[in-house]
Amino acid sequence: MLRISLTFASEIQILYRNYMKELRIGSLELNQQKQELLLRAPDGTQDRRKLSFREASVLRLLIEAHGEIVENHILLMEFWGTDSVYSLNSLYVFMSRLKQLLALDSSLTIVNARGIGYRLIRSE
């Protein structure tokens, strides 16, 4: 029984460390703990945008996918708890908002793989 408890405790620590870390891609930095997106412009200015918990979590998932497609079904089940048509429409609106936020960095684009899912692409 002690072994199970130690395994569970280590999994919780890993999840917590992953939640706490800041992710960077392009000139953007995602701070999941503060739920904010930071843009560092070449001239040294910074622009901070507040994100909802869901926005920060979905963006983290897209960043960690490293350009691979994250399927609609996974996004819906993970963040909406259902994959109904109504939730799919909500996902479309939600992703549109994330695309607007990422417009802060012209090298980053969220691409819709129609009917499959989304991926985050970074152009050099």
Side-chain angles (χ1 to χ4, degrees), residues 50-73:
K50 218 41 185 153
L51 302 175
S52 70
F53 178 78
R54 188 178 286 171
E55 287 170 334
S57 299
V58 169
L59 189 52
R60 177 190 51 81
L61 191 62
L62 289 170
I63 292 170
E64 290 178 343
H66 301 287
E68 297 294 319
I69 294 173
V70 179
E71 295 179 10
N72 289 336
H73 173 76

Side-chain angles (χ1 to χ4, degrees), residues 4-20:
I4 293 172
S5 298
L6 290 175
T7 302
F8 181 71
S10 65
E11 288 176 6
I12 293 297
Q13 288 174 349
I14 290 169
L15 287 172
Y16 183 73
R17 277 194 305 262
N18 286 341
Y19 174 76
M20 296 297 287

Side-chain angles (χ1 to χ4, degrees), residues 40-102:
R40 296 179 190 275
D43 65 2
T45 60
Q46 297 181 352
D47 185 10
R48 292 184 190 275
R49 301 287 173 99
K50 218 41 185 153
L51 302 175
S52 70
F53 178 78
R54 188 178 286 171
E55 287 170 334
S57 299
V58 169
L59 189 52
R60 177 190 51 81
L61 191 62
L62 289 170
I63 292 170
E64 290 178 343
H66 301 287
E68 297 294 319
I69 294 173
V70 179
E71 295 179 10
N72 289 336
H73 173 76
I74 292 170
L75 291 168
L76 289 170
M77 293 306 292
E78 180 73 23
F79 301 108
W80 277 264
T82 178
D83 60 356
S84 73
V85 172
Y86 302 109
S87 296
L88 187 58
N89 288 336
S90 178
L91 174 63
Y92 294 155
V93 172
F94 182 83
M95 295 307 284
S96 175
R97 163 120 167 93
L98 274 183
K99 287 178 182 182
Q100 289 173 354
L101 284 171
L102 289 187

